[in-house]
Amino acid sequence: MSGDGTTADDDPLQTAVWRLRSRACWADAAALLAPATPDTALQRASLLVERCLYTEAGWEEAEDALRTAEALAHTDDERGAAACERGHLAYAATLFRVRDRADEARAALGRAAALIAPGAAGRPLLDFRRGLIAENLTGSPQAARAAYRRAHAGATAHADQLLLSGTWRHLAGLALRDGELAEARHGFAESLRIREELGYLVGTAPALVSLAHTEVEPEASRLREEANRLFRLLGGVPTWLAGQLSPPTPGAATA
């Protein structure tokens, strides 16, 4: 995921973008943003990259938007943020077997790490995405856990609630793989709580399914039924959730 899920100073444009994004209307949200500045171009690209991760579609539009953001980036922070999005798009393409871009993903995130200063607002998201690569592409849960913990601490320091929901979720997923049921249940519950409080509807169904992995009946079925309702409401998004709405497989990989 990208961004922080907030609407700074109640900006009407950002509020509209957030509401559309949270309801899986990424193209509509992106259409509200003219790529006239580095910030708006990057935000537009991040929306379209996120759409790829949730729908497994829209790759060319995301590439075009990302190239625009890269062309407009001038400072180290701007170039680092664009490289972070580049790495995330390459990660998604690899994860969903569109094309193997794992080397590109690692190189782009490495470039971002050289540009984004430690302690900068963009660093926690970078750490989180490096954790995703370690967990889902490299198969290194220890490296993933370390990256997620760094991201979690950074997201806490910068009050990035949406990112916190992601770090809670993925740390809980690793705990579940290790058989730490109570820790996993707590992490998944925190992730769900944050997403519900933010109104991040498109991320709520996956959070419900993850929590269901740690519950017993009838609670597990109730959580999956609610997830299925949201999944249908959003037109089958996220696409990768469909296989998890049947009886769950513990430790199933998520994007």
Short mmCIF file of all heavy atoms in Angstrom, two decimals, residues 201-244:
data_model
loop_
_atom_site.label_atom_id
_atom_site.label_comp_id
_atom_site.label_asym_id
_atom_site.label_seq_id
_atom_site.Cartn_x
_atom_site.Cartn_y
_atom_site.Cartn_z
N LEU A 201 -12.09 0.83 3.01
CA LEU A 201 -12.99 -0.28 2.73
C LEU A 201 -12.32 -1.38 1.92
O LEU A 201 -12.51 -2.57 2.19
CB LEU A 201 -14.22 0.25 1.99
CG LEU A 201 -15.43 -0.67 1.90
CD1 LEU A 201 -15.98 -0.97 3.28
CD2 LEU A 201 -16.51 -0.03 1.03
N VAL A 202 -11.51 -1.01 0.92
CA VAL A 202 -10.91 -2.00 0.05
C VAL A 202 -9.91 -2.87 0.80
O VAL A 202 -9.62 -4.00 0.38
CB VAL A 202 -10.25 -1.32 -1.17
CG1 VAL A 202 -8.97 -0.59 -0.78
CG2 VAL A 202 -9.98 -2.33 -2.28
N GLY A 203 -9.38 -2.38 1.91
CA GLY A 203 -8.45 -3.17 2.70
C GLY A 203 -9.08 -3.90 3.87
O GLY A 203 -8.40 -4.64 4.58
N THR A 204 -10.38 -3.70 4.07
CA THR A 204 -11.04 -4.29 5.22
C THR A 204 -11.32 -5.77 5.03
O THR A 204 -11.15 -6.57 5.96
CB THR A 204 -12.33 -3.52 5.54
OG1 THR A 204 -11.99 -2.16 5.84
CG2 THR A 204 -13.06 -4.12 6.73
N ALA A 205 -11.75 -6.17 3.84
CA ALA A 205 -12.04 -7.58 3.60
C ALA A 205 -10.80 -8.46 3.81
O ALA A 205 -10.88 -9.50 4.48
CB ALA A 205 -12.62 -7.79 2.21
N PRO A 206 -9.62 -8.10 3.26
CA PRO A 206 -8.43 -8.91 3.54
C PRO A 206 -8.11 -8.98 5.03
O PRO A 206 -7.66 -10.03 5.53
CB PRO A 206 -7.32 -8.19 2.77
CG PRO A 206 -8.02 -7.45 1.70
CD PRO A 206 -9.33 -7.04 2.28
N ALA A 207 -8.33 -7.88 5.75
CA ALA A 207 -8.07 -7.88 7.19
C ALA A 207 -9.02 -8.82 7.93
O ALA A 207 -8.62 -9.52 8.87
CB ALA A 207 -8.18 -6.46 7.74
N LEU A 208 -10.27 -8.86 7.50
CA LEU A 208 -11.24 -9.79 8.10
C LEU A 208 -10.84 -11.24 7.86
O LEU A 208 -10.90 -12.08 8.77
CB LEU A 208 -12.62 -9.53 7.51
CG LEU A 208 -13.34 -8.26 7.97
CD1 LEU A 208 -14.48 -7.91 7.01
CD2 LEU A 208 -13.87 -8.42 9.39
N VAL A 209 -10.41 -11.55 6.65
CA VAL A 209 -10.01 -12.92 6.32
C VAL A 209 -8.78 -13.33 7.13
O VAL A 209 -8.70 -14.44 7.65
CB VAL A 209 -9.74 -13.06 4.81
CG1 VAL A 209 -9.10 -14.41 4.49
CG2 VAL A 209 -11.03 -12.90 4.03
N SER A 210 -7.81 -12.41 7.25
CA SER A 210 -6.62 -12.72 8.04
C SER A 210 -6.98 -13.02 9.49
O SER A 210 -6.47 -14.00 10.07
CB SER A 210 -5.63 -11.55 7.98
OG SER A 210 -5.11 -11.39 6.68
N LEU A 211 -7.83 -12.20 10.08
CA LEU A 211 -8.24 -12.44 11.46
C LEU A 211 -8.99 -13.77 11.59
O LEU A 211 -8.82 -14.49 12.59
CB LEU A 211 -9.11 -11.29 11.96
CG LEU A 211 -9.54 -11.34 13.43
CD1 LEU A 211 -8.33 -11.42 14.35
CD2 LEU A 211 -10.41 -10.14 13.77
N ALA A 212 -9.76 -14.13 10.58
CA ALA A 212 -10.49 -15.40 10.61
C ALA A 212 -9.56 -16.59 10.73
O ALA A 212 -9.93 -17.63 11.30
CB ALA A 212 -11.37 -15.54 9.36
N HIS A 213 -8.32 -16.46 10.20
CA HIS A 213 -7.35 -17.56 10.30
C HIS A 213 -7.01 -17.91 11.75
O HIS A 213 -6.55 -19.00 12.04
CB HIS A 213 -6.05 -17.19 9.58
CG HIS A 213 -6.16 -17.16 8.09
ND1 HIS A 213 -6.95 -18.01 7.36
CD2 HIS A 213 -5.55 -16.35 7.18
CE1 HIS A 213 -6.83 -17.74 6.07
NE2 HIS A 213 -5.99 -16.73 5.94
N THR A 214 -7.23 -16.95 12.66
CA THR A 214 -6.82 -17.15 14.05
C THR A 214 -7.99 -17.46 14.97
O THR A 214 -7.80 -17.65 16.17
CB THR A 214 -6.10 -15.90 14.58
OG1 THR A 214 -7.03 -14.81 14.68
CG2 THR A 214 -4.96 -15.50 13.65
N GLU A 215 -9.22 -17.45 14.43
CA GLU A 215 -10.40 -17.63 15.26
C GLU A 215 -10.99 -19.03 15.09
O GLU A 215 -10.71 -19.74 14.12
CB GLU A 215 -11.46 -16.58 14.89
CG GLU A 215 -11.05 -15.14 15.16
CD GLU A 215 -11.01 -14.81 16.64
OE1 GLU A 215 -11.40 -15.67 17.48
OE2 GLU A 215 -10.58 -13.68 16.98
N VAL A 216 -11.82 -19.41 16.04
CA VAL A 216 -12.54 -20.68 15.96
C VAL A 216 -13.97 -20.39 15.55
O VAL A 216 -14.42 -19.25 15.52
CB VAL A 216 -12.50 -21.42 17.31
CG1 VAL A 216 -11.06 -21.78 17.67
CG2 VAL A 216 -13.12 -20.57 18.42
N GLU A 217 -14.69 -21.45 15.20
CA GLU A 217 -16.10 -21.28 14.82
C GLU A 217 -16.95 -20.96 16.06
O GLU A 217 -16.63 -21.43 17.16
CB GLU A 217 -16.61 -22.56 14.14
CG GLU A 217 -15.90 -22.91 12.85
CD GLU A 217 -16.05 -21.84 11.77
OE1 GLU A 217 -16.90 -20.94 11.92
OE2 GLU A 217 -15.30 -21.91 10.79
N PRO A 218 -18.00 -20.17 15.90
CA PRO A 218 -18.55 -19.64 14.64
C PRO A 218 -17.93 -18.30 14.22
O PRO A 218 -18.28 -17.77 13.18
CB PRO A 218 -20.03 -19.47 14.96
CG PRO A 218 -20.05 -19.12 16.42
CD PRO A 218 -18.92 -19.89 17.05
N GLU A 219 -17.02 -17.76 15.05
CA GLU A 219 -16.47 -16.44 14.75
C GLU A 219 -15.72 -16.41 13.43
O GLU A 219 -15.81 -15.44 12.67
CB GLU A 219 -15.55 -15.98 15.88
CG GLU A 219 -14.93 -14.60 15.70
CD GLU A 219 -15.94 -13.46 15.66
OE1 GLU A 219 -17.14 -13.69 15.93
OE2 GLU A 219 -15.52 -12.33 15.37
N ALA A 220 -14.98 -17.48 13.13
CA ALA A 220 -14.21 -17.51 11.88
C ALA A 220 -15.14 -17.41 10.68
O ALA A 220 -14.86 -16.65 9.73
CB ALA A 220 -13.37 -18.79 11.81
N SER A 221 -16.23 -18.13 10.70
CA SER A 221 -17.17 -18.06 9.58
C SER A 221 -17.84 -16.70 9.49
O SER A 221 -18.07 -16.18 8.39
CB SER A 221 -18.24 -19.15 9.72
OG SER A 221 -17.68 -20.42 9.46
N ARG A 222 -18.13 -16.09 10.63
CA ARG A 222 -18.75 -14.77 10.62
C ARG A 222 -17.82 -13.75 9.96
O ARG A 222 -18.25 -12.92 9.15
CB ARG A 222 -19.07 -14.32 12.04
CG ARG A 222 -19.84 -13.00 12.09
CD ARG A 222 -19.88 -12.40 13.48
NE ARG A 222 -18.57 -11.91 13.90
CZ ARG A 222 -18.05 -10.76 13.49
NH1 ARG A 222 -18.70 -9.98 12.63
NH2 ARG A 222 -16.86 -10.38 13.92
N LEU A 223 -16.53 -13.82 10.29
CA LEU A 223 -15.56 -12.89 9.71
C LEU A 223 -15.44 -13.11 8.21
O LEU A 223 -15.38 -12.14 7.43
CB LEU A 223 -14.20 -13.06 10.39
CG LEU A 223 -14.12 -12.60 11.85
CD1 LEU A 223 -12.85 -13.11 12.50
CD2 LEU A 223 -14.20 -11.08 11.94
N ARG A 224 -15.40 -14.36 7.78
CA ARG A 224 -15.29 -14.63 6.34
C ARG A 224 -16.56 -14.22 5.60
O ARG A 224 -16.49 -13.75 4.45
CB ARG A 224 -14.96 -16.11 6.10
CG ARG A 224 -13.50 -16.45 6.33
CD ARG A 224 -13.14 -17.81 5.77
NE ARG A 224 -13.79 -18.87 6.51
CZ ARG A 224 -13.26 -19.44 7.61
NH1 ARG A 224 -12.10 -19.03 8.08
NH2 ARG A 224 -13.90 -20.41 8.23
N GLU A 225 -17.71 -14.39 6.22
CA GLU A 225 -18.95 -13.96 5.58
C GLU A 225 -18.97 -12.45 5.39
O GLU A 225 -19.41 -11.93 4.35
CB GLU A 225 -20.15 -14.42 6.42
CG GLU A 225 -20.42 -15.92 6.31
CD GLU A 225 -21.40 -16.40 7.36
OE1 GLU A 225 -21.96 -15.55 8.09
OE2 GLU A 225 -21.60 -17.63 7.47
N GLU A 226 -18.50 -11.71 6.40
CA GLU A 226 -18.45 -10.26 6.28
C GLU A 226 -17.44 -9.85 5.20
O GLU A 226 -17.69 -8.92 4.41
CB GLU A 226 -18.06 -9.64 7.63
CG GLU A 226 -17.89 -8.13 7.62
CD GLU A 226 -19.15 -7.36 7.27
OE1 GLU A 226 -20.26 -7.97 7.25
OE2 GLU A 226 -19.06 -6.15 7.00
N ALA A 227 -16.31 -10.55 5.15
CA ALA A 227 -15.32 -10.28 4.10
C ALA A 227 -15.90 -10.54 2.72
O ALA A 227 -15.69 -9.76 1.78
CB ALA A 227 -14.08 -11.14 4.32
N ASN A 228 -16.65 -11.62 2.60
CA ASN A 228 -17.26 -11.98 1.31
C ASN A 228 -18.27 -10.92 0.89
O ASN A 228 -18.37 -10.57 -0.30
CB ASN A 228 -17.93 -13.35 1.42
CG ASN A 228 -18.16 -13.99 0.07
OD1 ASN A 228 -17.53 -13.60 -0.93
ND2 ASN A 228 -19.04 -14.96 0.01
N ARG A 229 -19.01 -10.37 1.86
CA ARG A 229 -19.98 -9.31 1.55
C ARG A 229 -19.27 -8.08 0.99
O ARG A 229 -19.69 -7.51 -0.02
CB ARG A 229 -20.76 -8.95 2.81
CG ARG A 229 -21.87 -7.93 2.57
CD ARG A 229 -22.51 -7.48 3.87
NE ARG A 229 -21.60 -6.65 4.66
CZ ARG A 229 -21.39 -5.36 4.44
NH1 ARG A 229 -22.01 -4.74 3.44
NH2 ARG A 229 -20.56 -4.68 5.20
N LEU A 230 -18.19 -7.67 1.63
CA LEU A 230 -17.43 -6.52 1.16
C LEU A 230 -16.79 -6.80 -0.19
O LEU A 230 -16.73 -5.93 -1.07
CB LEU A 230 -16.35 -6.14 2.18
CG LEU A 230 -16.85 -5.53 3.49
CD1 LEU A 230 -15.69 -5.35 4.46
CD2 LEU A 230 -17.56 -4.21 3.24
N PHE A 231 -16.28 -8.00 -0.36
CA PHE A 231 -15.65 -8.41 -1.61
C PHE A 231 -16.63 -8.28 -2.77
O PHE A 231 -16.32 -7.73 -3.83
CB PHE A 231 -15.16 -9.85 -1.46
CG PHE A 231 -14.49 -10.43 -2.68
CD1 PHE A 231 -13.21 -10.04 -3.05
CD2 PHE A 231 -15.14 -11.40 -3.44
CE1 PHE A 231 -12.59 -10.59 -4.16
CE2 PHE A 231 -14.53 -11.95 -4.55
CZ PHE A 231 -13.25 -11.55 -4.91
N ARG A 232 -17.85 -8.75 -2.57
CA ARG A 232 -18.88 -8.64 -3.61
C ARG A 232 -19.29 -7.19 -3.82
O ARG A 232 -19.51 -6.74 -4.95
CB ARG A 232 -20.11 -9.49 -3.24
CG ARG A 232 -19.86 -11.00 -3.24
CD ARG A 232 -21.18 -11.77 -3.22
NE ARG A 232 -22.05 -11.34 -2.15
CZ ARG A 232 -22.05 -11.87 -0.93
NH1 ARG A 232 -21.20 -12.84 -0.63
NH2 ARG A 232 -22.89 -11.44 -0.01
N LEU A 233 -19.38 -6.42 -2.74
CA LEU A 233 -19.76 -5.01 -2.83
C LEU A 233 -18.79 -4.23 -3.70
O LEU A 233 -19.20 -3.33 -4.45
CB LEU A 233 -19.79 -4.41 -1.41
CG LEU A 233 -20.16 -2.92 -1.31
CD1 LEU A 233 -21.61 -2.68 -1.71
CD2 LEU A 233 -19.91 -2.42 0.11
N LEU A 234 -17.51 -4.58 -3.64
CA LEU A 234 -16.48 -3.88 -4.40
C LEU A 234 -16.22 -4.52 -5.76
O LEU A 234 -15.24 -4.18 -6.42
CB LEU A 234 -15.18 -3.81 -3.59
CG LEU A 234 -15.26 -2.97 -2.31
CD1 LEU A 234 -13.97 -3.09 -1.51
CD2 LEU A 234 -15.55 -1.50 -2.63
N GLY A 235 -17.07 -5.43 -6.17
CA GLY A 235 -16.95 -6.01 -7.50
C GLY A 235 -15.83 -7.01 -7.64
O GLY A 235 -15.24 -7.16 -8.72
N GLY A 236 -15.52 -7.75 -6.56
CA GLY A 236 -14.49 -8.78 -6.63
C GLY A 236 -13.08 -8.25 -6.46
O GLY A 236 -12.14 -8.79 -7.05
N VAL A 237 -12.92 -7.20 -5.67
CA VAL A 237 -11.61 -6.61 -5.38
C VAL A 237 -11.37 -6.70 -3.87
O VAL A 237 -12.29 -6.41 -3.09
CB VAL A 237 -11.57 -5.13 -5.85
CG1 VAL A 237 -10.26 -4.48 -5.46
CG2 VAL A 237 -11.78 -5.05 -7.36
N PRO A 238 -10.14 -7.07 -3.49
CA PRO A 238 -8.98 -7.44 -4.29
C PRO A 238 -9.14 -8.83 -4.93
O PRO A 238 -9.66 -9.75 -4.30
CB PRO A 238 -7.82 -7.43 -3.28
CG PRO A 238 -8.46 -7.69 -1.97
CD PRO A 238 -9.82 -7.06 -2.03
N THR A 239 -8.68 -8.94 -6.15
CA THR A 239 -8.88 -10.17 -6.91
C THR A 239 -8.25 -11.38 -6.24
O THR A 239 -8.82 -12.48 -6.28
CB THR A 239 -8.28 -10.03 -8.32
OG1 THR A 239 -6.91 -9.61 -8.20
CG2 THR A 239 -9.04 -9.00 -9.14
N TRP A 240 -7.08 -11.19 -5.60
CA TRP A 240 -6.38 -12.32 -5.00
C TRP A 240 -7.06 -12.86 -3.74
O TRP A 240 -6.67 -13.89 -3.20
CB TRP A 240 -4.94 -11.97 -4.69
CG TRP A 240 -4.71 -10.60 -4.10
CD1 TRP A 240 -4.33 -9.48 -4.76
CD2 TRP A 240 -4.88 -10.21 -2.73
NE1 TRP A 240 -4.24 -8.41 -3.89
CE2 TRP A 240 -4.57 -8.83 -2.64
CE3 TRP A 240 -5.24 -10.90 -1.57
CZ2 TRP A 240 -4.61 -8.12 -1.44
CZ3 TRP A 240 -5.31 -10.20 -0.37
CH2 TRP A 240 -4.99 -8.82 -0.31
N LEU A 241 -8.09 -12.17 -3.27
CA LEU A 241 -8.78 -12.63 -2.07
C LEU A 241 -9.77 -13.75 -2.37
O LEU A 241 -10.14 -14.49 -1.46
CB LEU A 241 -9.52 -11.45 -1.43
CG LEU A 241 -10.09 -11.67 -0.03
CD1 LEU A 241 -8.98 -11.97 0.97
CD2 LEU A 241 -10.88 -10.45 0.41
N ALA A 242 -10.16 -13.90 -3.63
CA ALA A 242 -11.21 -14.86 -3.98
C ALA A 242 -10.89 -16.27 -3.45
O ALA A 242 -11.75 -16.94 -2.89
CB ALA A 242 -11.40 -14.90 -5.48
N GLY A 243 -9.64 -16.70 -3.63
CA GLY A 243 -9.27 -18.04 -3.20
C GLY A 243 -9.24 -18.22 -1.70
O GLY A 243 -9.24 -19.35 -1.21
N GLN A 244 -9.21 -17.13 -0.94
CA GLN A 244 -9.16 -17.23 0.51
C GLN A 244 -10.52 -17.13 1.16
O GLN A 244 -10.64 -17.27 2.38
CB GLN A 244 -8.26 -16.11 1.07
CG GLN A 244 -6.82 -16.22 0.61
CD GLN A 244 -5.96 -15.14 1.25
OE1 GLN A 244 -5.96 -14.99 2.47
NE2 GLN A 244 -5.24 -14.40 0.45
#
